Amino acid sequence: MAVNAHTRYSQIMKDVEELILDHIAHQNSGTAHASKLKLLVPSVGSFFTPLPMQDAFNYQDSKRCISSRRFVPPSFNDIRLVLNTAQAMSLVRNSKLELVTFDGDVTLYDDGESLTPENPVIPRILDLLRNGSRIGIVTAAGYTEAPKYYERLYGLLDAVAASDLAEQARNRIVVMGGEANFLFTYTPDEACRLAPVAKADWQLPEMQSWTEENVKALLDVAEAALKDCVHTMQLPVSVLRKERAVGIYPSKGIKLAREQLEETVLVTQRILELSEAGKRIPFCAFNGGNDIFVDIGDKSWGVMACQRYFGGIEGGRSLHVGDQFLSAGANDFKARLASTTAWIANPAETVLLLDEIAAMGREEGERVAGMVG
Ligand code: IMP
Ligand code: MG
């Protein structure tokens, strides 16, 4: 039975793989709207790379014994992990893992926590740097000052400082805060190990319109919308206005209901979309799990700014790893526009994904060595 199920699932994955290839061919000839995949899944976006779905399924099946289950069919999580593996395989096999960007909360550490020295993701990120990838931490957490980021990320930054990495490799790690607003690069010269990067070195031309006036107008509308929700739903929260964001958060120990969070995001987003200020510059209203923030810009801009800073890396050579991809009010979702993505559910899955990538890299190395030998 398991063998039969495996053969059938595997064939379906091959079919999906071919649908994606066909969709990419349509993308390249400007007719993506007419692909078979688009007809089957009208909400499908564009693909930066082909996805070896069959190989990826075989891999995940060997790990998760999907075909051996009798009552529970392949689930949402199974498919999410197959897609992550397929994306990683496609990048590693073609030596295209040039930039890896990570979300912070829930991706590298638990919600609201910090990246502490014992976090198992640290040696894996050092390995990526050692192998030539650039690294960006692209987080919504928005602080203007470098020491605040150090407080959240010190485990990783101290490990980079203490490592045997060449200086060139150390310079390949940056932190983008506030979605797309504040860029810092690693430096051995500061106690907080981070130095701000000059705007001219990373900002995109479109960001010229993010003027103080436009930012203020947008945040004013957002703040009023949030306060209105606080009032109508009697939310037990404080309002926090920052330079490039405005948010609401409850006092310690209080948990907001999912319905309240979602309603607040949807109302605020709608009001902003309809406002004049919201048409002038991009913004991102999202549900952070137990808080709501409206940020200037979004992660597509954050990832694109990192790509630009590292010399113009293409979307098909860049991977964003994050936890927020459910389209309504999820902030990593926008990164889909700028790069390939992997959707993880918790920090342990990020570690597993990086281990998969390392193993794929070794296999690829052996394959190439075999061909040369
Ligand atoms: P991320 O998962 O790394 O993108 O971080 C998201 C979390 O950062 C939110 O849920 C907030 O709790 C927190 N945060 C702190 N400052 C800001 C800000 O300025 N904008 C958005 N989120 C913020
Ligand atoms: Mg997150």
Side-chain angles (χ1 to χ4, degrees):
M1 195 206 72
V3 173
N4 271 346
H6 178 85
T7 311
R8 273 190 297 125
Y9 295 157
S10 181
Q11 184 55 48
I12 293 169
M13 292 296 160
K14 188 72 193 166
D15 293 345
V16 175
E17 184 174 324
E18 276 160 17
L19 281 172
I20 294 171
L21 278 177
D22 169 71
H23 184 77
I24 292 175
H26 273 89
Q27 265 171 216
N28 294 341
S29 55
T31 54
H33 59 278
S35 81
K36 192 165 173 199
L37 186 60
K38 188 77 183 173
L39 296 178
L40 292 168
V41 189
S43 60
V44 80
S46 19
F47 290 81
F48 287 95
T49 70
L51 296 177
M53 295 294 288
Q54 191 174 43
D55 285 359
F57 173 76
N58 292 344
Y59 175 84
Q60 284 295 344
D61 200 24
S62 74
K63 295 277 165 196
R64 295 169 69 80
C65 302
I66 302 170
S67 306
S68 300
R69 299 198 306 243
R70 294 171 54 196
F71 295 106
V72 179
S75 66
F76 184 89
N77 277 331
D78 293 325
I79 303 298
R80 180 174 58 73
L81 292 169
V82 169
L83 282 163
N84 289 351
T85 299
Q87 187 59 76
M89 281 179 168
S90 181
L91 292 165
V92 174
R93 288 177 178 175
N94 297 296
S95 307
K96 286 183 171 172
L97 204 59
E98 293 187 4
L99 168 65
V100 188
T101 54
F102 294 93
D103 162 57
D105 293 51
V106 186
T107 300
L108 293 178
Y109 38 83
D110 288 334
D111 202 14
E113 303 289 314
S114 298
L115 215 173
T116 47
E118 71 284 358
N119 190 318
V121 84
I122 294 173
R124 276 106 178 151
I125 293 183
L126 296 186
D127 277 343
L128 285 173
L129 286 169
R130 204 166 278 126
N131 291 332
S133 297
R134 282 87 169 164
I135 301 292
I137 314 289
V138 180
T139 170
Y143 318 110
T144 44
E145 302 298 330
K148 290 270 186 202
Y149 294 96
Y150 178 73
E151 267 175 42
R152 302 291 304 271
L153 303 170
Y154 69 95
L156 175 64
L157 296 169
D158 286 351
V160 170
S163 71
D164 57 357
L165 286 174
E167 192 189 335
Q168 208 186 11
R170 288 165 207 243
N171 290 338
R172 290 197 290 254
I173 181 162
V174 294
V175 177
M176 173 62 85
E179 315 269 359
N181 285 292
F182 313 104
L183 188 70
F184 299 86
T185 178
Y186 173 83
T187 171
D189 305 333
E190 300 283 341
C192 66
R193 311 206 189 280
L194 289 171
V197 179
K199 289 198 165 72
D201 293 339
W202 61 269
Q203 282 199 335
L204 296 142
E206 293 87 341
M207 292 179 176
Q208 299 287 325
S209 65
W210 303 12
T211 59
E212 288 311 314
E213 189 192 350
N214 285 346
V215 167
K216 179 176 182 306
L218 188 122
L219 295 181
D220 284 348
V221 177
E223 185 172 340
L226 288 171
K227 283 182 170 160
D228 209 38
C229 290
V230 172
H231 179 71
T232 46
M233 285 187 283
Q234 301 182 14
L235 303 177
V237 296
S238 312
V239 177
L240 178 64
R241 175 92 175 228
K242 298 178 154 189
E243 199 176 301
R244 290 292 173 107
V246 56
I248 54 171
Y249 64 95
S251 350
K252 236 185 162 42
I254 296 184
K255 182 91 185 84
L256 298 177
R258 178 183 61 83
E259 294 80 358
Q260 296 174 327
L261 290 161
E262 284 184 8
E263 173 73 9
T264 307
V265 171
L266 293 172
V267 166
T268 308
Q269 185 164 324
R270 190 87 189 114
I271 290 175
L272 283 167
E273 276 166 4
L274 294 174
S275 72
E276 266 312 304
K279 294 192 181 86
R280 276 183 248 144
I281 50 175
F283 63 88
C284 171
F286 77 101
N287 170 356
N290 199 32
D291 52 32
I292 307 279
F293 271 90
V294 176
D295 291 318
I296 302 296
D298 60 47
K299 289 204 183 180
S300 69
W301 292 99
V303 170
M304 284 190 290
C306 293
Q307 291 168 346
R308 169 159 185 238
Y309 173 73
F310 286 119
I313 293 174
E314 292 163 20
R317 295 173 175 272
S318 168
L319 173 71
H320 179 73
V321 184
D323 65 292
Q324 287 218 346
F325 284 98
L326 275 181
S327 46
N331 69 345
D332 292 302
F333 184 67
K334 284 279 181 165
R336 271 289 277 120
L337 298 170
S339 70
T340 72
T341 49
W343 180 357
I344 55 78
N346 52 53
E349 278 193 11
T350 304
V351 168
L352 281 179
L353 178 72
L354 295 185
D355 284 345
E356 264 179 52
I357 287 177
M360 285 171 201
R362 284 192 296 273
E363 263 170 43
E364 192 52 26
E366 282 162 20
R367 196 186 61 81
V368 172
M371 274 167 34
V372 174

